Amino acid sequence: MAVHGLLAVGAAGYWWQDAGSGARLLRGDASGVREVALPQPPDGLTALAVHPADTGPGAALYGYPGGDYGYLTEAGAPDRVLARRPALVRLPRVPSATGGPAGPGFVYTGFPPGARLEDPPVDGIRVAVHRAGEPFAHDRPVPLGDAPDALVTLEPTADPDAVLVKSTARGVTAHRLLRLAPGSGLPLVTELPAASSPRTRLVLGAHRWWRGEALGTPRAVLYALPPGETDPSAGEPVAFPDGTAPAWFWGTRQGVVVRAVVAGGTEALYRIDADSPEPRLVAGGAPGDSFPEVTAAPDADCALWLRVGRRPDGGTAGHVEQLLDGTTAPRTLRELPWPASAPRTTRFCAAGDGHRLPVGLSGTAGPVLLLEHGGLTALANAPLERALEDLARAGRLTVARAVTRSLVPAHRVPAGGRGYDDLLHAARHLRERTGPDRPLFVLGHSMGAVGAARAVLLDPGLFDGWILRFPVTDLVGFPALGIGRYWTSLLGDPSRPEQRAALAALSPLHLPLPVGPLPPVLIQTGTHDTRADARHGRRLAERLRGRAAVTLSSYPVGHVERFCQGASRRAVAEVTAFVLDRAAVARDPEGASP
């Protein structure tokens, strides 16, 4: 049973748990676990995120499946805020724009009030402040600078009047502290030291800043900064045990909780209190333990996590656990049945330029499905990942995941291939290892579809089928599709002749089609996908008709799927059926139905 969306509020924890009819919201505290009743959503919308309050009414964010649009509804308030994805922070007191007392409100990224759903959303162009109970009267944009930022996220701080704003553009992550002036409510933005990598995190906990560098890598370092100081050079590094690297961390009232990776891949959770820089182990450390969901908040009195570990009989079990500030050991709030992990191995193959390319394998039998997720990793395909793991455990499928370099800007790719050809080299490696009798499929999501489609168009005889989910296919005309005009700093600018030539050489929609037939293809698009416009998939499907058996499907989902939505489950079922059915055809072309 999937658990996701953990949230810490005060001394309680909240989480979503999937059920047959969808997801339900649970609350766990010292009195036990109980289901939280949610207000009836507006017609056609689904609950995307909930922001409970420790006291008083909370708020829910509703939107179309996929989470790309949302309506923020509050108890007793008639207004709805159109938000861009569930990225918002609740503040307990926002000054009134009409002279009344301060009250709850939100800082959020999104559209201005009155924007139309068909308007192309823009990540990070708008950060706004909204005062509850004053329909849009206090909703005002926050300028972050002259240049648009490619991605903006918001994080709470221990200060009830401040929000941390992180924006990433051109490989640099900027940190800003946004405060509201007590009298006027005007937003005041303070620039904090920037980071050279998105793997840098700045968190406020126990009235001091904590800064992590190169998180999730062997070079990771966590610094404790003096109270009131934000300059990284003033920080003292936290000494973790040898072979232990911090991967991510969260602030609480009394310190920080750190997820770390120990040599050999084991995960562990440490806590560091403000009065002592020494990390203390609070959970994990045993072989097989993992923490796929962790949360804490600098204004909360607890941390919450999901621990998945091995039982003495060799099976696995899931536990939702809570650590209260001031306590030394976590307590279990809920035990869950958990499927055993599929056997995993990692192989390495050489890319065309000699790059050592890792390929992770789950399962040992059945057809082979090679995945590339593009820029959002497995999070974008979470329901599909769960279904594929189930097939791998049952011995019906081998799942291969390649860590490619496909997000290298196209106009910087030497000879037009490095990075974008990594998936093709991985596929050839798999074919050599598994032999001709096991069908081979390739699946690309988003920008991963560029590498997947390119691999098939360059070597169609290598594959028995290909799947493109919510794909980007037109690297020449993308600025005219949806929010593509904001991607030129990442992909290249086709208005510049030298960059247009490089983009055309990589674009699945513009690559020359091979002389012979192409393997069957499944293309899925989302009607609420605001990142990869559905026209990318439709145009490629039209071009391939007559050269391949093309299945083009559209689902009412966004770019990122959710476990609890029926449309996502139908889209996942179509993918698994396509792979298994085409594998049967490949093994027995005459006896299996097409």
Side-chain angles (χ1 to χ4, degrees):
M1 301 179 69
V3 169
H4 49 95
L6 300 183
L7 184 68
V9 179
Y14 295 80
W15 64 91
W16 292 96
Q17 181 170 310
D18 287 343
S21 58
R24 55 181 183 154
L25 183 67
L26 300 179
R27 183 184 195 274
D29 56 21
S31 64
V33 175
R34 61 183 181 276
E35 186 170 353
V36 177
L38 295 175
Q40 184 69 25
D43 291 342
L45 302 184
T46 302
L48 302 176
V50 175
H51 297 262
D54 197 23
T55 59
L61 184 76
Y62 295 96
Y64 287 120
D68 283 326
Y69 295 105
Y71 290 92
L72 181 65
T73 63
E74 304 164 82
D79 53 303
R80 298 172 181 171
V81 176
L82 179 63
R84 172 73 178 102
R85 305 179 65 204
L88 69 164
V89 172
R90 187 176 193 271
L91 295 179
R93 55 177 185 263
V94 172
S96 171
T98 59
F106 293 86
V107 177
Y108 70 97
T109 59
F111 290 141
R116 302 170 302 170
L117 289 181
E118 59 267 26
D119 289 344
V122 180
D123 281 335
I125 296 301
R126 175 182 171 84
V127 172
V129 178
H130 171 69
R131 165 70 161 83
E134 296 179 3
F136 304 127
H138 194 75
D139 200 314
R140 61 184 69 189
V142 178
L144 296 181
D146 295 333
D149 294 306
L151 179 65
V152 169
T153 58
L154 306 174
E155 296 180 3
T157 70
D159 188 336
D161 301 312
V163 171
L164 183 66
V165 182
K166 297 173 60 177
S167 59
T168 300
R170 300 174 181 86
V172 176
T173 299
H175 295 92
R176 302 174 178 94
L177 197 62
L178 189 157
R179 295 181 183 275
L180 303 180
S184 64
L186 292 175
L188 307 175
V189 178
T190 304
E191 296 283 344
L192 301 177
S196 59
S197 167
R199 300 301 295 175
T200 298
R201 183 167 171 81
L202 189 66
V203 167
L204 186 62
H207 308 293
R208 73 164 69 203
W209 289 101
W210 307 76
R211 184 181 177 98
E213 302 279 357
L215 296 170
T217 74
R219 307 186 313 277
V221 181
L222 178 64
Y223 296 94
L225 278 61
E229 182 62 69
T230 58
D231 186 347
S233 63
E236 291 291 332
V238 176
F240 285 87
D242 290 343
T244 300
W248 211 246
F249 60 101
W250 299 260
T252 68
R253 289 192 200 273
Q254 297 191 14
V256 291
V257 173
V258 183
R259 177 166 58 195
V261 178
V262 186
T266 299
E267 294 183 14
L269 292 183
Y270 288 85
R271 184 171 70 184
I272 307 171
D273 294 331
D275 57 356
S276 172
E278 181 179 353
R280 290 179 286 178
L281 181 69
V282 294
D289 278 353
S290 65
F291 299 87
E293 291 269 352
V294 186
T295 190
D299 58 350
D301 300 308
C302 70
L304 192 70
W305 59 75
L306 171 65
R307 181 212 296 254
V308 178
R310 290 197 181 102
R311 297 194 308 260
D313 61 2
T316 57
H319 299 81
V320 178
E321 297 178 338
Q322 182 188 45
L323 180 69
L324 295 171
D325 273 351
T327 61
T328 59
R331 62 192 182 95
T332 298
L333 294 179
R334 173 63 60 90
E335 294 186 9
L336 302 164
W338 206 261
S341 299
R344 294 193 178 189
T345 57
T346 300
R347 300 286 184 263
F348 293 89
C349 66
D353 59 354
H355 172 71
R356 196 165 181 252
L357 180 67
V359 181
L361 300 174
S362 295
T364 58
V368 181
L369 178 62
L370 175 60
L371 302 181
E372 182 169 22
H373 293 300
L376 290 173
T377 68
L379 293 176
N381 285 290
L384 177 64
E385 287 276 336
R386 180 63 58 84
L388 296 179
E389 286 291 312
D390 289 342
L391 291 175
R393 278 190 295 272
R396 303 179 63 192
L397 181 70
T398 296
V399 182
R401 299 170 177 86
V403 182
T404 72
R405 300 166 291 171
S406 65
L407 290 182
V408 175
H411 61 286
R412 300 178 188 170
V413 176
R418 185 173 72 83
Y420 287 88
D421 282 343
D422 281 355
L423 204 65
L424 178 58
H425 291 289
R428 288 171 175 166
H429 175 78
L430 290 170
R431 180 60 87 187
E432 291 174 0
R433 295 190 61 87
T434 59
D437 295 332
R438 293 180 65 185
L440 176 63
F441 298 84
V442 63
L443 184 152
H445 177 277
S446 188
M447 281 299 298
V450 175
R454 180 177 172 84
V456 175
L457 295 177
L458 292 178
D459 194 348
L462 190 64
F463 302 96
D464 296 282
W466 42 317
I467 303 107
L468 307 179
R469 307 195 80 213
F470 320 117
V472 175
T473 67
D474 187 354
L475 293 181
V476 175
F478 71 85
L481 301 178
I483 63 173
R485 62 187 181 276
Y486 300 102
W487 298 351
T488 53
S489 62
L490 172 66
L491 302 180
D493 188 351
S495 67
R496 302 173 62 179
E498 72 281 5
Q499 295 188 18
R500 182 184 181 92
L503 289 164
L506 297 172
S507 173
L509 196 65
H510 298 85
L511 277 172
L513 295 179
V515 175
L518 292 167
V521 58
L522 168 63
I523 301 176
Q524 293 183 333
T525 63
T527 56
H528 304 307
D529 189 343
T530 57
R531 290 179 179 265
D533 192 284
R535 286 171 287 184
H536 280 279
R538 293 200 299 265
R539 289 177 181 177
L540 183 62
E542 186 62 30
R543 187 183 187 215
L544 296 177
R545 293 192 192 281
R547 302 298 301 276
V550 179
T551 302
L552 175 64
S553 300
S554 178
Y555 289 92
V557 298
H559 200 61
V560 178
E561 292 185 290
R562 299 174 66 86
F563 286 101
C564 57
Q565 295 162 356
S568 290
R569 292 195 290 267
R570 293 194 299 273
V572 166
E574 184 181 38
V575 171
T576 55
F578 177 86
V579 171
L580 297 178
D581 290 348
R582 299 311 308 178
V585 172
R587 286 191 295 261
D588 186 7
E590 297 181 358
S593 58

